[in-house]
Amino acid sequence: LVALGGWGASMARPLLKIQRYFRRKPVRFFSFILLYLTAGSLVFLHTGFVGDSSTGENGGRDPMVASGIGNRVASSDGRGVGMMGRVLKDTRRPTPRRYGPPWMKGAGGKDWEGRGVDYTSSWNRALKGRNAKDLDDGRAKYIGCYIDDTAKRALRGVSFFDYKKMTVFRCQDNCAERGYLYSGLEFGAECYCGHKIQAPNASESECIMQCKGDKGNLCGGANRLSIYRLELSQESARHYGSAIFKGCFHRPDNVTLALPISAVIQNMSVEKCVDMCTEKELSLAVLAGDRCLCGFPTPHFSLHEMEDEDLCLHRCHGEEFESCGNDEYFVVYQTQVQDNRCMDRRFLPTRSKQLIALASFPGAGNTWARHLIELATGFYTGSYYFDGSLYNKGFKGERDHWRSGRTICIKTHESGKKEIEAFDASIVMIRNPYKALMAEFNRKYGGHIGFASQAHWRGKEWPEFVKNYAPWWASHTLDWLRYGRNVHVVHFEELKRELFSKLKDMVLFLDLEVAEERLLCVEGQKDGKFKRSGLRKLDYDPYTPEMRTSIDELVMTVDASLKKRNMAGVPKEYRPTLR
């Protein structure tokens, strides 16, 4: 005990001296704390570098880590820190050197110069060792792993990057929406689109990097693309990159008046004409042999009388697989240029004493109809509810009280007698229940332009949803037909097929003058920001026979109610007897 007491006293003396020292010198105390924290931070950083620079299978250090860090830190565009973080997280790399993302290329390293070689037909060599289930999921077919070079890209269309949430489906959806035939993923976070593959195959062992947003799937590697052949919907297939194919049309009577900009282009191609008209800030790119014409849709060239596409089959001199039309029949594409003739919108100059509803079952296209009405009339639409996301997308009438009288019509999904009788008139949107139920289910679980997951479709949520919502689809329409005072019925499918004439009828019902050029402008902007991609479709029928029997009975009930009021019945695609 005496010994222990002596040891304690000997330890206490130095501690007492340190305490007295820092009591007299508080500045030195804080300096000591600062040095301690700095040392701790350096130790933490050191362990981070060592832990992430893991050894490969051969026991040696992966050379890609060291070279990748050097390349990215040297970047002069301010992305060095992000690139370093990305390299440190992905330690197992294939041996070929990573050249860096597009922003790292030199001034002379243009991606699109030269034709390159089409390697698309050699895709089958890359499939060895791949599970057949991984190759084709009904939406896209896996082609293989390909070499990618920043100087000459394998896929030379649009591209985008997301270093946190990139997934295979997201890349496929973006490429499909723009009409590209191929989508490719690289470095776990980069998405590239193209119409053909212009690079040779690589080993499948080089495309082993996990997707940033889905660790269960692979998204290429360092300078390696995991490429998919997209199974495009019919609508998506009518694109050429960012341009939308409008069809084959007869030469207008007055070409100069209809299409004021014209030029002869050597080695004509769709891309060259689209680029020229985009540069001129015009929404139509028209190919007539070796001539490219640009303009806007007008009554002189309305694009309403489409001709047989065979009449436009005239090979482009600059691209043998494209049609460039001729002197009599023009091939028309819509560019990315926004037609601003219908983009101005405002509140009503004087408050309206009449309240007009835009009523629909959820998922029947109400938001899309609002978009069309606002562009066609130039006035904001209102809502019985408030949706902040819609307000942020440009529906400024969303914040107004629905009785304010400042909006041209009011969105509502209500269907009770009291709620319906609050309106003086109504446009009632009806959509095929099989489509409407799926659209609303996607909205409920995926947002306005998102998708419900496979787990939701195959789980208990979908049967429960159909059980509760299918009767509402019918009762909603029946209530508006019964209690509505002045009802104008619009079928979603007919509005899509005959946009100009159906939208014109809606404008007239709203007691407004029709501006034909404004309606033509709307046709070019019809999708707005609320259109889901045409790629991600279910590969099975989610409706059971019992569900179909129940929904078919509801369809026939609505059909009979429409006819009883001397209105046209539901479109034939709704009716089970004609399916």
Side-chain angles (χ1 to χ4, degrees):
L1 290 173
V2 172
L4 287 173
W7 179 81
S10 63
M11 289 296 296
R13 289 192 200 99
L15 291 173
L16 186 62
K17 288 182 180 180
I18 292 173
Q19 183 184 11
R20 288 174 179 172
Y21 174 79
F22 282 117
R23 190 181 296 170
R24 292 195 306 269
K25 309 280 186 175
V27 174
R28 293 180 182 178
F29 174 73
F30 288 115
S31 300
F32 176 78
I33 294 296
L34 183 62
L35 286 170
Y36 176 77
L37 293 174
T38 303
S41 300
L42 290 172
V43 171
F44 176 76
L45 286 173
H46 175 72
T47 56
F49 273 86
V50 172
D52 282 322
S53 300
S54 57
T55 57
E57 294 177 0
N58 60 357
R61 192 168 178 178
D62 192 335
M64 282 302 302
V65 176
S67 64
I69 291 173
N71 290 341
R72 283 164 180 75
V73 174
S75 173
S76 61
D77 64 353
R79 301 179 190 262
V81 175
M83 294 299 99
M84 179 180 285
R86 166 170 134 185
V87 172
L88 291 174
K89 289 177 183 177
D90 298 317
T91 57
R92 298 207 171 188
R93 301 289 166 84
T95 51
R97 186 168 64 91
R98 167 75 180 171
Y99 295 97
W103 56 74
M104 299 276 298
K105 66 183 180 182
K110 295 182 180 178
D111 284 355
W112 320 126
E113 287 185 0
R115 280 253 176 163
V117 181
D118 187 356
Y119 292 91
T120 307
S121 61
S122 62
W123 67 270
N124 55 325
R125 293 199 303 273
L127 301 184
K128 294 180 180 179
R130 214 50 192 194
N131 190 318
K133 190 170 75 171
D134 295 334
L135 303 182
D136 189 355
D137 66 355
R139 292 177 291 262
K141 178 178 288 187
Y142 180 76
I143 300 299
C145 183
Y146 283 78
I147 295 172
D148 195 31
D149 187 339
T150 54
K152 291 183 179 180
R153 288 287 180 192
L155 298 176
R156 303 183 182 183
V158 299
S159 61
F160 77 99
F161 316 113
D162 189 334
Y163 295 104
K164 291 183 178 180
K165 298 180 180 179
M166 179 62 75
T167 66
V168 173
F169 284 150
R170 187 178 178 202
C171 179
Q172 290 173 357
D173 283 351
N174 275 273
C175 294
E177 192 173 355
R178 290 160 177 80
Y180 288 102
L181 298 177
Y182 297 95
S183 67
L185 296 109
E186 181 173 341
F187 215 72
E190 301 172 5
C191 175
Y192 297 89
C193 311
H195 287 295
K196 60 184 178 180
I197 304 170
Q198 302 187 67
N201 292 117
S203 169
E204 286 299 308
S205 63
E206 297 176 24
C207 285
I208 57 171
M209 201 168 284
Q210 293 180 334
C211 304
K212 297 297 184 183
D214 182 4
K215 300 300 183 182
N217 279 306
L218 301 179
C219 285
N223 280 97
R224 296 296 182 267
L225 279 171
S226 296
I227 295 183
Y228 292 83
R229 172 70 159 81
L230 303 177
E231 303 296 332
L232 299 177
S233 67
Q234 186 175 0
E235 188 172 346
S236 294
R238 308 309 285 171
H239 288 58
Y240 186 91
S242 60
I244 302 170
F245 177 74
K246 303 299 288 186
C248 176
F249 298 90
H250 192 271
R251 172 193 177 101
D253 294 332
N254 190 329
V255 176
T256 305
L257 187 62
L259 302 163
I261 304 297
S262 174
V264 174
I265 298 178
Q266 289 186 341
N267 296 321
M268 172 68 85
S269 69
V270 173
E271 184 178 12
K272 288 180 179 179
C273 187
V274 168
D275 285 349
M276 181 186 116
C277 296
T278 301
E279 206 172 290
K280 301 290 183 183
E281 297 187 352
L282 294 167
S283 66
L284 293 185
V286 181
L287 295 91
D290 59 354
R291 279 202 309 153
C292 176
L293 304 101
C294 312
F296 289 109
T298 65
H300 303 289
F301 195 53
S302 66
L303 307 184
H304 287 164
E305 298 179 7
M306 193 182 300
E307 303 286 350
D308 188 328
E309 290 182 26
D310 289 344
L311 297 171
C312 284
L313 288 179
H314 181 78
R315 186 178 66 83
C316 296
H317 293 300
E319 183 57 67
E320 60 179 329
F321 298 110
E322 297 174 359
S323 295
C324 276
N326 50 59
D327 290 339
E328 282 299 313
Y329 294 96
F330 295 173
V331 175
V332 180
Y333 284 86
Q334 180 181 318
T335 70
Q336 276 193 314
V337 175
Q338 182 172 274
D339 187 345
N340 290 318
R341 295 175 298 169
C342 59
M343 298 309 293
D344 60 302
R345 287 166 289 173
R346 58 196 173 102
F347 290 102
L348 292 173
T350 57
R351 294 183 184 271
S352 174
K353 295 179 181 179
Q354 189 180 38
L355 291 176
I356 302 177
L358 178 62
S360 75
F361 171 78
N366 199 305
T367 301
W368 179 56
R370 289 179 68 185
H371 165 75
L372 297 176
I373 290 171
E374 289 195 2
L375 296 189
T377 65
F379 295 116
Y380 288 122
T381 59
S383 178
Y384 195 80
Y385 322 97
F386 171 71
D387 187 329
S389 68
L390 293 181
Y391 178 83
N392 292 333
K393 291 288 187 179
F395 290 97
K396 300 305 180 186
E398 197 75 15
R399 270 190 178 175
D400 263 36
H401 189 275
W402 65 278
R403 286 185 177 273
S404 71
R406 298 206 307 158
T407 54
I408 194 63
C409 62
I410 298 99
K411 164 190 174 176
T412 180
H413 298 311
E414 302 302 308
S415 55
K417 180 177 184 293
K418 180 182 177 182
E419 288 79 2
I420 293 172
E421 290 180 344
F423 292 95
D424 302 292
S426 60
I427 297 173
V428 177
M429 290 279 296
I430 305 175
R431 186 180 186 183
N432 184 332
Y434 292 101
K435 301 292 186 182
L437 289 168
M438 293 177 71
E440 176 58 10
F441 190 72
N442 273 321
R443 186 207 65 79
K444 185 175 181 180
Y445 290 99
H448 280 287
I449 55 173
F451 294 88
S453 68
Q454 287 288 335
H456 289 129
W457 285 106
R458 295 187 181 275
K460 64 181 181 180
E461 293 90 348
W462 171 243
E464 190 70 22
F465 178 86
V466 173
K467 178 182 176 181
N468 293 328
Y469 276 68
W472 182 17
W473 173 86
S475 65
H476 182 278
T477 301
L478 296 175
D479 280 358
W480 279 94
L481 292 176
R482 181 179 180 183
Y483 302 119
R485 292 182 222 174
N486 181 15
V487 178
H488 177 73
V489 173
V490 177
H491 292 284
F492 175 88
E493 291 77 13
E494 292 177 350
L495 182 60
K496 282 188 71 175
R497 281 194 298 263
E498 308 163 44
L499 181 66
F500 188 90
S501 62
K502 296 299 180 183
L503 186 55
K504 181 179 178 180
D505 291 342
M506 293 166 72
V507 173
L508 291 172
F509 181 80
L510 294 169
D511 200 23
L512 295 172
E513 290 186 10
V514 174
E516 189 172 349
E517 288 213 8
R518 195 169 185 109
L519 288 180
L520 291 170
C521 169
V522 176
E523 287 188 305
Q525 323 282 333
K526 63 181 181 180
D527 289 333
K529 300 175 182 178
F530 291 91
K531 179 180 181 298
R532 288 185 176 89
S533 162
L535 177 66
R536 189 175 298 183
K537 304 293 185 183
L538 289 177
D539 54 4
Y540 67 97
D541 182 0
Y543 292 100
T544 64
E546 293 78 14
M547 290 178 183
R548 286 192 170 275
T549 299
S550 175
I551 294 171
D552 287 349
E553 291 175 0
L554 296 171
V555 169
M556 299 310 292
T557 302
V558 171
D559 184 65
S561 184
L562 287 167
K563 291 176 178 177
K564 185 177 179 180
R565 288 159 178 78
N566 296 319
M567 298 178 179
V570 298
K572 63 181 181 180
E573 58 258 43
Y574 294 25
R575 296 199 289 266
T577 55
L578 298 180
R579 265 208 315 270

